[in-house]
Amino acid sequence: MCALHRNSLTSFAFLCFIVNIYGFHGDNGSVDHKKLHLSGYLKQISDEQEEKTQLVSHIISRGGGSYIDLGTGGDSVSYVLGKIPNDLPVTIIASDIDQSVLNSIPESHPEVLSFLGQDDDTKLRLKLVRMDATNMFPIKENSIDGIGASALVHEVFSYVPAKSSLDQLFIELIRVMKKDGVLVYR
């Protein structure tokens, strides 16, 4: 697990590219491995969420901003929302390529419902955004203060089975993060 500032991502991307070259194999672009046992898959994610929740200290120290829980499972979002004061101007974006994962968040975590659809940008709010981590088109350039992700590299390679998919992931991370943005990744 590590926290990287935007300027360090190039070295991290190179390391991941090397890991990819030496034996990483995708499953032809499918996310079906999650759908067969979605509840078990989400439980496994929640058991390993510590790295995503470390964004809380960055959020509170900055006093606001926009943050992405990339490849969300929902538990980390629920935890983060529970630790941030409601009057901080913070937007948490829970994102996943799989709509069923996003749909499961309010069902399994009803405590997040009050943050969904919140229009007041001076308050804590949650957005559920279906997006591909290699093409974060809904996110503007230099607009994100921090990103939390866990074991995302193998998932990206699962649904975009090409070595260039990892390059594109890091290009997108760098594109959307502010210059002083932080990536917390395991």
Side-chain angles (χ1 to χ4, degrees), residues 55-64 67 88:
L55 276 177
V56 170
S57 62
H58 295 285
I59 294 168
I60 292 173
S61 71
R62 288 180 187 236
Y67 299 85
L88 277 184

Side-chain angles (χ1 to χ4, degrees), residues 2-58:
C2 58
L4 298 171
H5 289 278
R6 180 179 171 184
N7 296 337
S8 304
L9 285 175
T10 304
S11 299
F12 186 68
F14 179 73
L15 174 63
C16 288
F17 179 72
I18 295 300
V19 169
N20 186 21
I21 289 173
Y22 293 103
F24 220 80
H25 303 288
D27 62 4
N28 300 321
S30 172
V31 293
D32 291 339
H33 65 284
K34 292 193 280 188
K35 290 182 181 177
L36 283 175
H37 304 287
L38 184 60
S39 62
Y41 178 81
L42 293 175
K43 180 178 179 343
Q44 181 182 5
I45 290 172
S46 74
D47 290 345
E48 300 168 2
Q49 72 172 336
E50 179 184 349
E51 63 285 341
K52 291 182 180 183
T53 62
Q54 289 183 13
L55 276 177
V56 170
S57 62
H58 295 285

